[in-house]
Amino acid sequence: MEFLWGATASSTAARPTSGMRECDTTKTTPESNSKRREIGDLAVWTLSSAKQGNGVDQIRDNNTNTFWQSDGQQPHFINISFLKKMKVSEICMYLDFKTDESYTPQKIQISVQNSFGQLQEV
């Protein structure tokens, strides 16, 4: 699975689209849900680039005060590779326009790949 961050210097926050729900922005830690099973630890995470101290560990630490900061040309992406086929039913991202302003992604593309073939946007 690959997340393509379409812009690092955009001025509009990503908004939920049909079928997505708005997150509670008053919380600083993502809320767990007994119906969910976090499978990110079963994957290998790579980034297009990252500034030192703002990489994969900061994406995955469940702390909204830490973050990934890219350090290269666009497009910026997060690649999440599972060693075996996995069913992914939900992806949660925390975006904070008040804090990030122009660094909030303007476009987020989610693509999947079931084999070594082409990525398919979902």
Side-chain angles (χ1 to χ4, degrees):
M1 184 177 309
E2 181 172 282
F3 298 83
L4 295 176
W5 298 82
T8 57
S10 62
S11 60
T12 57
R15 289 187 168 71
T17 58
S18 173
M20 296 178 75
R21 59 185 164 76
E22 192 122 8
C23 293
D24 182 354
T25 58
T26 61
K27 297 192 180 348
T28 57
T29 304
E31 191 174 321
S32 63
N33 181 327
S34 62
K35 294 180 182 179
R36 293 186 193 128
R37 184 172 72 107
E38 209 287 324
I39 60 172
D41 57 343
L42 301 175
V44 175
W45 292 62
T46 56
L47 306 170
S48 55
S49 66
K51 291 196 175 186
Q52 187 170 0
N54 295 99
V56 171
D57 291 341
Q58 288 69 40
I59 293 171
R60 305 237 339 112
D61 67 4
N62 281 332
N63 181 346
T64 58
N65 295 313
T66 63
F67 49 89
W68 167 43
Q69 186 173 14
S70 61
D71 191 23
Q73 296 293 317
Q74 293 182 24
H76 305 301
F77 64 86
I78 302 169
N79 189 318
I80 305 168
S81 299
F82 293 96
L83 300 176
K84 63 179 186 174
K85 188 174 181 179
M86 300 294 289
K87 179 180 179 181
V88 177
S89 57
E90 183 177 86
I91 297 171
C92 186
M93 293 178 236
Y94 177 82
L95 303 173
D96 186 347
F97 181 73
K98 288 181 183 178
T99 301
D100 300 331
E101 295 185 9
S102 65
Y103 294 99
T104 302
Q106 194 171 41
K107 177 183 177 185
I108 297 174
Q109 176 182 322
I110 299 175
S111 301
V112 297
Q113 180 178 348
N114 288 331
S115 64
F116 291 105
Q118 296 281 38
L119 289 170
Q120 264 187 293
E121 189 172 347
V122 292

